[in-house]
Every structure is written in C-alpha cells, then in structure tokens.
Amino acid sequence: MSVTEKQFENILVEQTDRVATITLNRPTALNALSSAMEKEVVEAVEGLDSDPGVGCIIITGSEKAFAAGADIKEMKDKSYPGIYLERFFGDWKRLTAARTPIIAAVSGFALGGGCELAMMCDMIIAGDNAKFGQPEITLGVIPGMGGSQRLTRAVGKAKAMDLCLTGRQMDADEAERAGLVARVVPAAELLDEVRKVAEKIASMSKTTAIAAKQAVNRSFETTLEEGLLAEQNAFYALFATEDQSEGMSAFAEKRKPEWKR
Ligand SMILES: CC(C)(O)CC(=O)SCCNC(=O)CCNC(=O)[C@H](O)C(C)(C)COP(=O)(O)OP(=O)(O)OC[C@H]1O[C@@H](n2cnc3c(N)ncnc32)[C@H](O)[C@@H]1OP(=O)(O)O
C-alpha cells in the first residue's frame, strides 16, 4: 500500500489508496485552532473531497489533544468589528460542504472549537481518554463554531445546557451514552480502529456513501416529511447508477460487488 505525505505548517496529510488522514499538528498549543490551521484544514479537506479516489477522510490530533479549542491567544485582542468583518472562523463551514464522509478520531481534549470541529465531521470515534466540552463560558464567550447547535442536536438540551453553562468536560463513556460519539475504543488502538472503519466506508460505492451521508445530514436540517421525501428520491435516484445494479446482482450471485464509482 503506497502512502503519500504532505507536511504543512500546522497539519500533516497522509493519503493511502482510498483513505486520507489529516493530523492536527501544533503540539506546543494542544492543537489550538488558529486561523492558519483553519485555512490548512479546510483547504486539505476540499482538495481530498474533490479527489474521486478518496472514499473517507479522517481528522485526528495527538494523544493528549484532538484540539483544545480556538487559539485563545490569537483571539483575545480581537474587537467586535474586526471579528465580524473578517467573518472569524467562517471558513469552517466549507468543511461541512464536503461530500466525502469524514471521521473525527478523538484522543484527549476536544474542547471548544475542538469539540465543534469533531461535531462538523460525520462520525466521532473516541479513545477512552477523550474529554469533550464547551468551556467558552469560562472565557466570557459562548461557542462560535456551531457548538450550541450541533451539541444540542447530538445530546439534547439538558446535557448541552449543562456543558455550555458550566464549562465542564464530559468523558468518552458519557459522550457515547449521550449520543455524541459513535464508538469508544482503547486510546492506544484509536487510529488503527478508525482506519478500519474508514477503509470499510471507502470500500463502498462512493456515490452511495455520499447519498447516505446527505440523507442522514438532511434529518438535521428539515422537517420529517421533507426529509423522508428527500430520502425516497435519493433512493430512487440510486437505481440510475451501475452500483445499485452491481450491489444487488453481487448479492444474488453470492460474490463481492465491484463498484464502478
Ligand atoms: C471556537 C470558539 C468560538 O467556540 C471558542 C473556543 O474554542 S474558546 C477555547 C476553548 N478552549 C479552552 O478554553 C481550553 C483551553 N485550554 C485549557 O483549559 C488547558 O490547556 C487544558 C485543560 C486543555 C490542558 O491543560 P494542561 O494539560 O495543564 O496544559 P496547558 O499547560 O494549559 O497547555 C499547554 C500549552 O497549550 C496552550 N493552550 C492550550 N489550549 C490553548 C488554546 N485553546 N489556545 C491557545 N493556547 C492553548 C497553553 O497556553 C500552553 O502553552 P504555554 O502557556 O505553555 O505556551
């Protein structure tokens, strides 16, 4: 299996046949999300998303920290007009426009913007040492990268209020029970386990994986009736693909499917 690596100032991007891994790499600041890191991550995701060969993207950090939030030292002297006019952190939205499934592999701290970045991904898999929280209130602000909205949708109002109002951290088991995290695995095995999941996703028809991702995401954005209609239409549309015919024929013929796209 060939691996290509590209080192940027704040991230490392590794790409194998079908899976790409973006590793946040600012160890001296616990991967605090600076504007420079935002730009690198967003551009890397967009580049990988436009590569038809990439079937799944992993975003991860270090053992101690996925990311300890936005870079407080960069933020502390900003003014209202400045932050408003530059649309501070507005580019993170571009990450959520990616169609390729993205998994957050979280070890250690995922606080503030770190938790918010993990929640922008399609699935969070956590090491058993992970800690999630929205501690912005302890800094005199509130979440600004989607925390109050995505956390509430993920874990419900009671726990989201608890985390946003007290700033307390939630461990991996609590996060899994609450529905924030898909799976918890031993921290030492996190990346191996996440790669297995990513390879599984990447082994599916990419067209179908995109349709599945979009259908699930739709449920957060619309009414049940419209979501059901969107799902049904996407399901019908998949019958225009070779992969539907291949997947169902392969089942009937008791063989592995060979996806076209
Ligand atoms: C995006 C928004 C809008 O939603 C806003 C946010 O994300 S606000 C930020 C929310 N995050 C936090 O409030 C967490 C801040 N960090 C901590 O509380 C602690 O660092 C810790 C509990 C995660 C870990 O503590 P500890 O193990 O004691 O390590 P430290 O010595 O504190 O940190 C090591 C080193 O990293 C720097 N650091 C950590 N977090 C940040 C950050 N968010 N921004 C900038 N720098 C950060 C910390 O200052 C240390 O650096 P040095 O002082 O040694 O140079």
Side-chain angles (χ1 to χ4, degrees):
M1 185 172 52
S2 71
V3 184
T4 58
E5 275 190 15
K6 276 190 211 150
Q7 177 74 62
F8 297 84
E9 202 183 325
N10 298 288
I11 62 169
L12 172 71
V13 181
E14 291 161 286
Q15 198 172 338
T16 60
D17 284 351
R18 301 272 294 153
V19 173
T21 305
I22 298 173
T23 304
L24 310 179
N25 189 23
R26 270 190 89 197
T28 54
L30 301 184
N31 292 330
L33 304 169
S34 60
S35 307
M37 190 189 264
E38 174 192 25
K39 187 169 186 294
E40 288 180 15
V41 174
V42 167
E43 285 177 2
V45 167
E46 285 181 338
L48 295 166
D49 188 42
S50 65
D51 180 342
V54 174
C56 190
I57 299 168
I58 299 167
I59 300 183
T60 194
S62 66
E63 192 188 338
K64 178 161 180 183
F66 176 74
D71 188 330
I72 301 166
K73 294 168 192 167
E74 180 188 15
M75 254 186 326
K76 70 181 179 46
D77 296 322
K78 288 198 179 281
S79 65
Y80 171 70
I83 207 165
Y84 183 78
L85 286 175
E86 76 181 82
R87 284 202 325 121
F88 188 60
F89 279 159
D91 280 344
W92 284 113
K93 196 166 189 278
R94 286 161 53 194
L95 186 145
T96 64
R99 301 199 305 173
T100 309
I102 306 179
I103 305 176
V106 175
S107 179
F109 297 111
L111 303 178
C115 186
E116 293 170 301
L117 171 58
M119 291 189 292
M120 285 177 213
C121 300
D122 300 305
M123 194 196 292
I124 302 175
I125 300 183
D128 53 13
N129 64 341
K131 300 251 187 237
F132 297 87
Q134 297 293 157
E136 289 87 348
I137 196 161
T138 67
L139 300 167
V141 290
I142 66 167
M145 279 167 54
S148 65
Q149 306 304 298
R150 293 200 176 92
L151 186 65
T152 309
R153 280 168 169 75
V155 305
K157 177 178 170 181
K159 212 167 267 292
M161 281 291 186
D162 178 1
L163 295 185
C164 290
L165 289 174
T166 68
R168 84 168 171 89
Q169 295 172 17
M170 160 162 89
D171 68 19
D173 287 336
E174 184 182 356
E176 188 186 28
R177 285 196 304 275
L180 179 64
V181 159
R183 308 184 193 186
V184 178
V185 300
E189 293 159 30
L190 177 65
L191 267 185
D192 285 345
E193 291 301 316
V194 173
R195 282 202 187 102
K196 281 186 211 157
V197 178
E199 271 157 22
K200 180 86 184 166
I201 293 169
S203 75
M204 306 296 173
S205 153
K206 184 154 181 188
T207 312
T208 315
I210 290 171
K213 167 173 170 161
Q214 288 180 342
V216 174
N217 279 337
R218 196 71 178 252
S219 72
F220 288 100
E221 287 149 14
T222 190
T223 61
L224 178 60
E225 198 177 346
E226 283 179 11
L228 289 171
L229 183 62
E231 179 198 80
Q232 198 171 56
N233 284 337
F235 171 74
Y236 293 157
L238 288 169
F239 281 73
T241 67
E242 286 179 276
D243 284 344
Q244 170 274 326
S245 159
E246 169 62 9
M248 294 187 181
S249 301
F251 174 82
E253 292 160 21
K254 299 189 190 302
R255 59 174 175 81
K256 262 185 88 170
E258 284 181 31
W259 307 121
K260 302 288 182 281
R261 294 175 77 86

Coordinates of all heavy atoms in Angstrom, one line a residue, residues 28-30 32 64 68-73 75 89 109 111-114 116 134-136 138-139 141-145 169, ligand 1:
T28 N 2.7 22.3 20.7 CA 3.0 23.2 21.8 C 1.8 23.9 22.3 O 1.8 24.6 23.3 CB 4.1 24.2 21.4 OG1 3.7 24.8 20.2 CG2 5.4 23.5 21.2
A29 N 0.7 23.9 21.5 CA -0.5 24.6 21.9 C -1.7 23.7 22.0 O -2.9 24.1 21.8 CB -0.8 25.8 20.9
L30 N -1.4 22.4 22.2 CA -2.5 21.4 22.2 C -3.5 21.5 21.0 O -4.7 21.4 21.2 CB -3.3 21.5 23.6 CG -2.5 21.3 24.9 CD1 -3.4 21.3 26.1 CD2 -1.7 20.0 24.8
A32 N -4.4 24.0 19.4 CA -5.4 25.1 19.3 C -5.6 25.5 17.9 O -4.6 25.6 17.1 CB -4.8 26.2 20.2
K64 N -2.7 13.5 23.4 CA -3.2 14.4 24.5 C -4.3 15.3 24.1 O -5.2 15.7 24.9 CB -2.0 15.3 25.0 CG -2.5 16.2 26.1 CD -1.4 16.8 27.0 CE -2.0 17.7 28.1 NZ -1.1 18.4 28.9
A68 N -7.6 21.7 21.7 CA -8.0 22.3 22.9 C -8.8 23.6 22.7 O -8.8 24.5 23.5 CB -6.9 22.6 23.9
G69 N -9.4 23.7 21.5 CA -10.3 24.9 21.2 C -9.6 25.8 20.3 O -8.5 25.6 19.7
A70 N -10.4 26.9 20.0 CA -9.8 28.0 19.2 C -8.6 28.5 19.9 O -8.4 28.4 21.2 CB -10.9 29.1 19.1
D71 N -7.7 29.2 19.1 CA -6.5 29.7 19.7 C -6.8 31.0 20.5 O -7.1 32.0 20.0 CB -5.5 30.0 18.6 CG -4.1 30.4 19.1 OD1 -4.1 31.0 20.3 OD2 -3.1 30.2 18.5
I72 N -6.8 30.8 21.9 CA -7.3 31.9 22.7 C -6.3 33.1 22.6 O -6.7 34.3 22.7 CB -7.4 31.4 24.2 CG1 -8.4 30.3 24.3 CG2 -7.8 32.5 25.1 CD1 -8.3 29.5 25.6
K73 N -5.0 32.8 22.4 CA -4.0 33.9 22.4 C -4.2 34.7 21.1 O -4.0 35.9 21.1 CB -2.6 33.3 22.5 CG -2.4 32.6 23.9 CD -1.1 31.8 23.9 CE -1.1 31.0 25.2 NZ 0.0 30.0 25.2
M75 N -7.2 35.1 19.7 CA -8.5 35.7 19.7 C -8.6 36.8 20.7 O -9.4 37.7 20.6 CB -9.5 34.6 20.2 CG -10.4 34.1 19.2 SD -11.7 32.9 19.9 CE -10.9 32.1 21.2
F89 N -13.5 32.6 11.7 CA -13.9 31.2 11.7 C -15.0 30.8 10.8 O -15.6 29.7 10.9 CB -14.2 30.7 13.2 CG -12.9 30.4 13.9 CD1 -13.0 30.3 15.3 CD2 -11.7 30.1 13.3 CE1 -11.8 30.0 16.0 CE2 -10.6 29.8 14.0 CZ -10.6 29.8 15.4
F109 N -8.1 15.9 24.7 CA -9.1 17.1 24.8 C -9.7 17.4 23.5 O -9.0 17.6 22.5 CB -8.3 18.3 25.3 CG -7.8 18.2 26.7 CD1 -6.4 18.1 26.9 CD2 -8.6 18.1 27.8 CE1 -5.9 18.0 28.2 CE2 -8.1 18.0 29.1 CZ -6.8 17.9 29.3
L111 N -12.1 20.3 23.1 CA -12.8 21.4 23.9 C -13.1 22.6 23.0 O -12.3 22.9 22.1 CB -11.9 21.9 25.0 CG -11.4 20.8 26.0 CD1 -10.5 21.4 27.1 CD2 -12.6 20.1 26.7
G112 N -14.2 23.3 23.3 CA -14.5 24.5 22.5 C -14.5 24.1 21.0 O -15.2 23.2 20.6
G113 N -13.7 24.9 20.3 CA -13.6 24.7 18.8 C -13.2 23.2 18.5 O -13.5 22.7 17.4
G114 N -12.5 22.6 19.4 CA -12.1 21.2 19.1 C -13.3 20.3 19.1 O -13.4 19.4 18.2
E116 N -16.2 21.3 18.6 CA -17.1 21.8 17.4 C -16.5 21.2 16.1 O -17.3 20.8 15.2 CB -17.1 23.3 17.4 CG -17.8 23.9 18.6 CD -17.7 25.4 18.8 OE1 -16.5 25.9 18.9 OE2 -18.7 26.1 18.8
Q134 N -17.5 22.3 26.1 CA -17.7 23.7 25.5 C -17.4 24.7 26.6 O -18.4 25.2 27.2 CB -19.1 23.8 24.9 CG -19.5 22.9 23.8 CD -18.7 23.1 22.5 OE1 -18.6 22.2 21.7 NE2 -18.2 24.3 22.3
P135 N -16.1 24.9 26.9 CA -15.8 25.8 28.1 C -15.8 27.3 27.8 O -15.3 28.0 28.6 CB -14.4 25.3 28.4 CG -13.8 24.9 27.1 CD -14.9 24.4 26.3
E136 N -16.3 27.7 26.6 CA -16.2 29.1 26.2 C -16.7 30.0 27.3 O -16.2 31.1 27.5 CB -17.0 29.3 24.9 CG -16.4 28.7 23.7 CD -16.8 27.3 23.4 OE1 -17.4 26.6 24.3 OE2 -16.5 26.8 22.3
T138 N -16.3 30.0 30.4 CA -15.2 30.4 31.3 C -14.3 31.4 30.8 O -13.5 32.0 31.5 CB -14.4 29.1 31.7 OG1 -13.7 28.7 30.5 CG2 -15.3 28.0 32.2
L139 N -14.4 31.7 29.5 CA -13.6 32.8 28.9 C -14.5 34.0 28.6 O -14.0 35.0 27.9 CB -13.0 32.3 27.5 CG -12.1 31.1 27.6 CD1 -11.9 30.5 26.2 CD2 -10.8 31.4 28.2
V141 N -17.2 34.0 26.7 CA -17.9 34.0 25.4 C -18.8 32.7 25.4 O -18.9 32.0 26.4 CB -17.0 34.0 24.2 CG1 -16.3 35.4 24.1 CG2 -15.9 32.9 24.3
I142 N -19.4 32.5 24.2 CA -20.2 31.2 24.0 C -19.6 30.5 22.8 O -18.7 31.1 22.1 CB -21.7 31.5 23.8 CG1 -21.9 32.3 22.5 CG2 -22.3 32.3 25.0 CD1 -23.4 32.3 22.0
P143 N -20.0 29.3 22.5 CA -19.4 28.6 21.3 C -19.7 29.5 20.1 O -20.7 30.1 19.9 CB -20.2 27.3 21.3 CG -20.6 27.1 22.7 CD -20.9 28.4 23.3
G144 N -18.7 29.4 19.1 CA -18.9 30.2 17.9 C -18.6 29.4 16.6 O -18.6 30.0 15.6
M145 N -18.4 28.1 16.8 CA -18.2 27.3 15.6 C -19.3 26.2 15.5 O -19.0 25.1 15.0 CB -16.8 26.6 15.6 CG -15.7 27.5 15.2 SD -14.0 26.8 15.6 CE -14.1 25.2 14.9
Q169 N -16.2 19.2 31.5 CA -15.8 18.3 30.5 C -16.6 17.0 30.7 O -16.9 16.6 31.8 CB -14.3 18.0 30.5 CG -13.5 19.3 30.2 CD -12.0 19.1 30.5 OE1 -11.5 17.9 30.6 NE2 -11.3 20.2 30.5
Ligands
LIG1 C1 -14.2 28.4 18.7 C2 -15.0 29.0 19.8 C3 -15.5 30.3 19.3 O1 -16.1 28.2 20.2 C4 -14.2 29.4 21.0 C5 -13.2 28.4 21.7 O2 -12.8 27.3 21.3 S1 -12.6 29.1 23.0 C6 -11.3 27.9 23.6 C7 -12.0 26.8 24.4 N1 -10.9 26.0 25.0 C8 -10.5 26.2 26.2 O3 -10.9 27.1 26.9 C9 -9.4 25.2 26.7 C10 -8.1 26.0 27.0 N2 -7.1 25.1 27.5 C11 -7.1 24.5 28.7 O4 -8.0 24.7 29.5 C12 -6.0 23.7 29.1 O5 -4.9 23.9 28.2 C13 -6.3 22.2 29.1 C14 -7.3 21.8 30.2 C15 -6.9 21.7 27.7 C16 -5.0 21.3 29.3 O6 -4.3 21.8 30.4 P1 -2.8 21.4 30.7 O7 -2.6 20.0 30.5 O8 -2.4 21.9 32.0 O9 -2.0 22.1 29.5 P2 -1.6 23.7 29.4 O10 -0.3 24.0 30.1 O11 -2.8 24.5 29.8 O12 -1.5 23.9 27.8 C17 -0.3 23.5 27.1 C18 0.0 24.7 26.2 O13 -1.0 24.8 25.3 C19 -1.6 26.1 25.3 N3 -3.0 26.1 25.0 C20 -3.9 25.2 25.4 N4 -5.1 25.5 25.0 C21 -5.0 26.5 24.2 C22 -5.9 27.3 23.5 N5 -7.2 27.0 23.3 N6 -5.4 28.4 22.8 C23 -4.2 28.7 22.9 N7 -3.2 28.0 23.6 C24 -3.7 27.0 24.2 C25 -1.3 26.6 26.7 O14 -1.4 28.0 26.8 C26 0.1 26.1 26.9 O15 1.0 26.9 26.2 P3 2.2 27.6 27.1 O16 1.5 28.5 28.0 O17 2.9 26.6 27.7 O18 2.9 28.4 26.0

